[in-house]
Amino acid sequence: GARRRAACRSGAEKVMSTPAPNGRGSASQAARQWLGSLRFRLWRRYYHCRATWNRRHPAAVGARDPVTAVITNYNRLRWPRAMADYLATCPGIRPLILDNASTYPPTLEWYRSCPHRVVRLCVNLGHMAPWLSGLAYTLGPRYIVTDPDLDLSAVPKDLLHVLAAELEANPHLRKVGLGLAIADLPDNESTRRVREWESNFWRFPTGTGFYDEAHIDTTFALYAGEREAISFYLARRSDYPYVARHLPW
């Protein structure tokens, strides 16, 4: 396991340091593209090795330790910064920024002085980066994953307690997350499509302050790490006031 992870890292680092082939004094575009693709594949392989190792050897986290909230980010600044700062004020939550190889200079500048933990990946693994990188398996039995584009300012700060109670009461669920506000969206063609789709997740109230059959991808949710065999999307979403706003809408 350790030798395999070291070999993957070594291979990726060699590709990173390999100069592009010269053709009459300058590297051809095709050669640069080929090396870029090879670099990406090797880093993906390294992260796959690490994820496999971490899954087989999950971290031991104390019951009293804060729950880590992973904000997966790529080239965004204002929204994830506000989310991290807000979550840091919520009891029992510790924010962490997982960066998907951002290149936006203001974002990189923020990372240099960010008061929260930042984990920077060498390639962009997309919205599933917490699992593809292996990070999720180091966070203990309960952790939060969220996209970086939510307004959480109206969500009560005891949100972890509310989500955790529902998750523990429903062992058939993979996760429990925040509802997303749609009632006050502006009226245009784009938001009408959003409202039509999202209304499906406001149909089945449970009587416990949640909605059933409210599937969640990587919007804000609390996960049960030991329930990986359960469908990734099987979830419940919370009712008001535990409702976030999806800012791109």
Side-chain angles (χ1 to χ4, degrees):
R3 287 195 298 270
R4 181 181 297 176
R5 287 184 291 134
C8 288
R9 179 185 287 275
S10 175
E13 290 173 345
K14 286 179 182 178
V15 171
M16 290 179 65
S17 62
T18 300
N22 289 328
R24 296 184 179 181
S26 64
S28 68
Q29 182 177 4
R32 288 195 299 270
Q33 291 175 342
W34 181 84
L35 280 175
S37 175
L38 179 60
R39 174 182 180 275
F40 176 80
R41 292 198 304 270
L42 283 174
W43 274 117
R44 279 290 301 264
R45 178 59 181 169
Y46 162 68
Y47 286 124
H48 173 75
C49 292
R50 190 170 72 174
T52 300
W53 172 266
N54 290 346
R55 182 182 296 168
R56 293 175 179 173
H57 305 83
V61 176
R64 296 180 180 272
D65 290 345
V67 169
T68 299
V70 180
I71 303 171
T72 307
N73 189 45
Y74 175 71
N75 279 349
R76 293 193 184 275
L77 174 60
R78 183 165 54 94
W79 295 345
R81 181 169 59 190
M83 291 177 67
D85 289 345
Y86 179 78
L87 290 171
T89 69
C90 297
I93 296 180
R94 174 175 50 202
L96 179 154
I97 313 297
L98 178 60
D99 182 74
N100 261 324
S102 289
T103 58
Y104 182 49
T107 297
L108 302 181
E109 180 64 28
W110 169 48
Y111 290 158
R112 282 189 278 272
S113 60
C114 181
H116 317 296
R117 183 185 173 196
V118 177
V119 175
R120 297 180 61 184
L121 301 179
C122 295
V123 291
N124 190 336
L125 298 180
H127 69 294
M128 295 297 287
W131 298 275
L132 293 177
S133 68
L135 175 68
Y137 307 111
T138 70
L139 303 178
R142 297 293 178 269
Y143 58 88
I144 293 167
V145 169
T146 180
D147 295 331
D149 51 9
L150 300 179
D151 178 3
L152 303 175
S153 60
V155 180
K157 293 188 177 182
D158 65 343
L159 63 104
L160 177 61
H161 172 76
V162 171
L163 296 180
E166 189 72 8
L167 186 63
E168 300 310 319
N170 293 277
H172 66 286
L173 298 176
R174 175 76 178 274
K175 52 190 164 183
V176 170
L178 297 178
L180 296 178
I182 58 173
D184 57 352
L185 293 177
D187 187 22
N188 57 55
E189 182 178 352
S190 175
T191 56
R192 281 194 290 271
R193 289 196 297 268
V194 168
R195 192 178 291 110
E196 180 181 4
W197 172 252
E198 289 291 320
S199 63
N200 292 313
F201 308 130
W202 290 91
R203 295 171 57 194
F204 303 107
T206 63
T208 60
F210 286 82
Y211 285 83
D212 204 5
E213 299 186 30
H215 294 177
I216 297 175
D217 188 3
T218 49
T219 304
F220 193 106
L222 175 68
Y223 287 75
E226 75 279 8
R227 302 180 193 175
E228 276 213 330
I230 298 174
S231 169
F232 182 78
Y233 301 99
L234 190 57
R236 286 182 177 177
R237 299 192 192 190
S238 53
D239 197 357
Y240 284 94
Y242 299 91
V243 173
R245 300 185 62 85
H246 186 247
L247 292 166
W249 293 343

